[in-house]
Amino acid sequence: MLLAALPMLLWCLNLIDNAALDYTYAGAGCFAAGIAYIFSMVTAIAGLAFAGRHYRYRWCRTLGYIQLAAGILLIVPLRSYAALTLPPLFLLTVLYLFGVGWRERCDFEQQ
């Protein structure tokens, strides 16, 4: 997630001009998608920082759910540009949430 966020941020920012010509709120949606990718970098850094601390998995999972909800809300203003900008965000967020839940379950079984 950390490696894919920066190129996708630049991709979203480059799409703003073209998207603003097509739909009313698509340019703002591309900008918001760029901000969502910045937030995904924060989520990834938090996941790396709290990787070995089982008492912090809830925070990591909460950040992942916020990121997933923001991506779902961005579908409305982006319209067809959502197919260009959001698939990496959804895929990596679901993998992140699955990984956090799997680590939490493994640590719970060891105790």
Side-chain angles (χ1 to χ4, degrees):
M1 186 180 329
L2 191 59
L3 296 175
L6 190 58
M8 288 306 296
L9 166 68
L10 295 175
W11 171 260
C12 290
L13 294 179
N14 285 332
L15 281 177
I16 289 175
D17 291 335
N18 293 334
L21 295 174
D22 289 341
Y23 302 114
T24 305
Y25 295 110
C30 284
F31 181 73
I35 291 176
Y37 278 109
I38 291 173
F39 185 74
S40 74
M41 287 193 283
V42 171
T43 303
I45 291 170
L48 289 173
F50 299 141
R53 302 180 185 136
H54 65 281
Y55 55 90
R56 295 288 185 181
Y57 290 150
R58 184 176 51 116
W59 286 101
C60 295
R61 201 171 53 238
T62 302
L63 289 175
Y65 286 137
I66 290 170
Q67 181 175 323
L68 191 62
I72 291 171
L73 289 175
L74 283 174
I75 292 173
V76 174
L78 284 173
R79 293 187 188 174
S80 63
Y81 286 97
L84 295 173
T85 58
L86 295 180
L89 183 71
F90 288 138
L91 177 69
L92 294 173
T93 303
V94 168
L95 288 173
Y96 177 81
L97 289 170
F98 178 74
V100 169
W102 181 71
R103 285 283 294 183
E104 187 175 16
R105 188 181 69 211
C106 287
D107 286 348
F108 182 72
E109 290 174 357
Q110 286 179 354
Q111 291 180 353

